[in-house]
Structure formats: C-alpha cells, structure tokens
Amino acid sequence: MDLYEYQGKQYFARFGIPTSKGGVAETVDEAVVQADAAGYPVVVKAQVKVGGRGKAGGIKLANNSDEARAHAAAILGMDIKGHVVHLIWVENASDIDKEYYASFTLDRQAKLHLGMLSAEGGVEIEEVAQTNPDAIAKLHIDPVDGLDEVTARAWVDAAGLDEAARDQTAALLVKLYTCYVEGDCDLAEINPLILTTEGKVHALDAKVTLDENAAFRHPEWEEYAGTETEDPREQMAKEKGLNYIGLSGSVGIIANGAGLAMSTLDVVNQVGGSAANFLDIGGGANADVMAAALEVINADPAVRSIFVNIFGGITRVDEVAQGVVDALARVDIRSPIVLRLDGTNAVAGREILAPHLSDRLVAEPTMLDAARRAVALAGN
Ligand code: GDP
Ligand code: MN
C-alpha cells in the first residue's frame, strides 16, 4: 500500500525523522488556515500517489495568504498524470542548499536490505542510475545486523555528501532504517533529503510503501483505509475476504489454490484468451465463498465468460458443485460459466450439476477443454 506524501511524513515523524511543519487540506479555505499556521513562505503540494508533481505544476511557493489561496485553488482538481488532486499538503517552505536522495528497500536477489544514498537528489533516482550510476552509494544490510551509526556515517562519507550534512544524515539514516524495518515498509524513500541554508538536514518529500502482509501487527494502519487508490474490483474482493488480483482480460477465473489459479491463467493464455483476474478461493469452496467470488467477477464489466476450475483434494467436488448451484440461485450472473470439476467425489459433483447445465452453465471434462470453451464464449 502506497502512502500519500503527507502520510509518509507523518509516518517518518513517529520515528523521529525531521520534516517541515505543515498540515493537510481538502479545500481552499482549509489550505489557507494550514498555510497561516505553518508560517510563510509555504509550499502548497498536490497529494497524488505519483512522482514528478513538481514538474507537473503541482507544487507551488506562496508568500502570503492570497498566494496560498490562489495556488490551492489552482492545484485542487488538477490532473497529474491521470490522478485528480483531492488533497493538498501545505508546509513551511525550506531554504534549500543541497538536495540528496536516500532510500531503503529489499534486494530480493541479494536477500538483504538495500540502502541507496546519493548527493544528487531532487531528480528521479532512475535518471541518476542511468546517467551517473557512480553517484549512488549502495549499502546492503543484513537484517540480523541492522544499521548502526558508525556504518551509516561511513556510508554517508562514501556518498560524498557535504561535510555539514554528514553527521545529521547518518543519524537520520539510522532512523529511516528503523522506520523501514519496524514500520514494515517495502520502500521508505526521501527525495529530496535536503540540507537547508541554516545547516539542517530534513525530509522534504516522502515515499512510503507499506507491506500489507504486516497489517495484522499495525492496527494504526486502519487510518489509511479509504485513502488507498485501489482497483475497485480488488476493494470489493478484499471486503469479501477473497484472494483476488484484477487483470485486464475478459475471462473471469475462479480456482481453488494459488497454484491452480496460476495454471488456469496460463492455460487461458495458451489457448489465445486473456484472464480478467486471479482468484484463489482456497480450500473451503462453499456456497458463500462461491457466491462472493461470482459477485466480484460479475461486477467487472470487462468479463465475457467465467471459468471455474476446481480440483478436489481435501475439498470435495460435490460440496463445490452444491456451492455453485446455491450461489447461482443467489447471484444473477451476466456471463456464461464454464466448469471444470475434478478430483475427490467428482462423479457425485457432476450429478448435482447435471440438472442445472445449460448454454449459460457448461461443464467440460478437462482443464484444457474448459479453457478453450471459456475463451470461445468470451469471443476471443
Ligand atoms: P515530486 O516532484 O513529486 O518528487 O515532489 P517533491 O516534494 O520532491 O518536490 C519537488 C521539488 O520541489 C523539490 O525537489 C524542490 O526542488 C522543490 N521544493 C519542494 N519543497 C520545497 C521547499 O520547501 N522549498 C524550496 N525552495 N523548494 C521546494
Ligand atoms: Mn520528490
């Protein structure tokens, strides 16, 4: 889950990372109140979960209330790379001497955390990586060892930061690392990290991605619910407790088990179709789960056919078949459904289904046949 800049800064603040004084606003009037409170000059910043806001005109300096009002009015409602601005963050402006870059993320290949630090911040780090890769000092960190201030200080030296910024940056990096680890971030990035003309180092921007697998130990993340810009299909699936990922094709997929769901996607592709989603209904494919799954897929306007692929192991096919029948009595499905049911109690399952089969509910004996049928029905 990606956070807005203001949420990221508030997250940073919990771990003692210095940021500018500011506040969030939904309206022009609120923005002026926040600007007055932060103290002029202020920067008015569009809150969208996409980078390059500065270049797009989403970040403006205001010297007084009138300017803050004008900038807030211009930025609210602005479209930045397809993201409409509904929120702005207003903070006391900083006098920038230098702009740096700092981040922590996971290096999956190295199986270690990766810190990146550069004296060339303020621009996209991908750009620095291309034009001047030596300007990025990388530090791999073993999660068992963590990051101490001595190591951080040597890293800051290696990155060639200005002398005046080195001690403060080393201390800040230890805090950012703590935020990244204890705060369960997939990414904690500051770009730019600045040295002010008064010689203070602090975070001028914040990009935080939280690891949603850790949500169970962060009840405080509750406050981010509703501020996510999630796929509406995924949001609906989440509310129903389903393991769903939206895709761009036309064949809706329901399978039991993540492995089978992935294979189902492959087979649909193999026969020339494209999946509208990944959906693993897990072991207990009862009527409630099946109805929820069908409802989510039914709500996707791109879906033209639905492929239900169940292999009964511990799950019994007759129960699944009954689940499908019960679910169909509850949900009015737009698209034809193709079933492939095999495994434990498959014969009993097919018997339950037999009286319900039609051109809207089709059974096929194999996964490949079912995929072909579903793709044909989808019109591919
Ligand atoms: P991004 O473009 O979405 O990454 O937004 P940032 O928050 O990184 O801001 C972009 C740029 O705006 C920064 O690199 C700064 O150059 C400038 N900027 C942002 N805040 C301030 C500020 O308080 N003072 C000054 N002088 N410039 C700022
Ligand atoms: Mn930035």
Side-chain angles (χ1 to χ4, degrees):
M1 176 178 32
D2 294 335
L3 298 187
Y4 286 111
E5 174 200 3
Y6 81 93
Q7 293 170 328
K9 283 182 168 169
Q10 289 167 351
Y11 210 63
F12 283 170
R14 279 188 212 166
F15 294 89
I17 297 161
T19 55
S20 305
K21 185 180 179 208
V24 73
E26 282 181 35
T27 65
V28 173
D29 287 339
E30 279 172 25
V32 174
V33 171
Q34 296 292 11
D36 290 347
Y40 294 96
V42 295
V43 269
V44 181
K45 307 183 78 175
Q47 296 299 289
V48 282
K49 293 174 182 178
V50 60
R53 295 166 300 159
K55 279 186 203 150
I59 297 176
K60 292 264 191 275
L61 191 80
N63 289 300
N64 52 52
S65 301
D66 288 344
E67 287 181 17
R69 180 171 294 279
H71 291 324
I75 291 172
L76 277 169
M78 183 183 269
D79 186 307
I80 299 179
K81 299 177 185 172
H83 297 246
V84 178
V85 182
H86 298 294
L87 278 174
I88 42 184
W89 168 254
V90 184
E91 70 176 26
N92 181 251
S94 306
D95 275 327
I96 303 173
D97 184 12
K98 290 287 167 54
E99 296 191 317
Y100 309 130
Y101 172 95
S103 71
F104 290 102
T105 187
L106 182 67
D107 183 341
R108 287 172 197 277
Q109 256 171 346
K111 298 177 186 163
L112 295 168
H113 295 308
L114 174 65
M116 289 196 278
L117 182 64
S118 178
E120 294 188 18
V123 288
E124 301 274 317
I125 194 65
E126 290 82 2
E127 206 178 303
V128 181
Q130 267 200 343
T131 57
N132 193 6
D134 293 340
I136 304 172
K138 295 184 176 177
L139 178 71
H140 276 109
I141 302 163
D142 190 314
V144 175
D145 300 337
L147 178 65
D148 59 54
E149 206 145 323
V150 175
T151 309
R153 176 61 212 234
W155 181 27
V156 169
D157 290 343
L161 266 50
D162 301 79
E163 197 58 55
R166 291 191 182 188
D167 286 341
Q168 289 178 72
T169 304
L172 186 147
L173 287 169
V174 171
K175 290 174 181 161
L176 185 63
Y177 180 78
T178 306
C179 170
Y180 166 75
V181 173
E182 288 177 15
D184 283 306
C185 304
D186 279 335
L187 171 72
E189 181 188 78
I190 305 176
N191 188 24
L193 173 71
I194 60 161
L195 172 64
T196 67
T197 50
E198 296 100 58
K200 291 272 189 308
V201 172
H202 81 259
L204 207 62
D205 194 5
K207 190 169 172 191
V208 172
T209 305
L210 299 175
D211 176 2
E212 280 173 79
N213 295 308
F216 70 94
R217 58 181 169 224
H218 292 280
E220 78 279 11
W221 288 2
E222 203 56 42
E223 71 173 278
Y224 304 130
T227 64
E228 295 165 63
T229 40
E230 220 176 343
D231 184 326
R233 298 174 297 174
E234 293 187 2
Q235 199 149 0
M236 181 179 175
K238 196 189 264 178
E239 281 160 17
K240 293 178 184 291
L242 296 170
N243 194 0
Y244 175 101
I245 296 164
L247 301 168
S248 58
S250 58
V251 181
I253 306 273
I254 298 175
N256 66 323
L260 184 61
M262 284 191 276
S263 305
T264 309
L265 259 63
D266 285 345
V267 174
V268 165
N269 259 317
Q270 189 194 327
V271 299
S274 59
N277 66 278
F278 167 100
L279 205 177
D280 163 23
I281 55 170
N286 59 25
D288 284 344
V289 176
M290 191 58 79
L294 286 170
E295 270 175 53
V296 169
I297 290 178
N298 199 42
D300 181 350
V303 168
R304 295 278 171 269
S305 70
I306 302 171
F307 179 5
V308 179
N309 190 8
I310 304 292
F311 189 86
I314 296 167
T315 308
R316 287 167 41 204
V317 171
D318 54 330
E319 281 178 8
V320 175
Q322 193 59 52
V324 173
V325 170
D326 293 350
L328 287 177
R330 279 156 46 180
V331 192
D332 190 21
I333 306 294
R334 285 184 303 107
S335 316
I337 300 172
V338 182
L339 296 160
R340 176 260 180 164
L341 303 177
D342 212 341
T344 312
N345 289 8
V347 175
R350 286 176 196 147
E351 275 168 18
I352 290 169
L353 278 172
H356 301 274
L357 295 177
S358 69
D359 58 348
R360 308 285 299 162
L361 184 66
V362 184
E364 290 286 354
T366 71
M367 183 155 153
L368 190 59
D369 290 330
R372 286 204 178 102
R373 188 69 171 265
V375 171
L377 285 168
N380 290 69

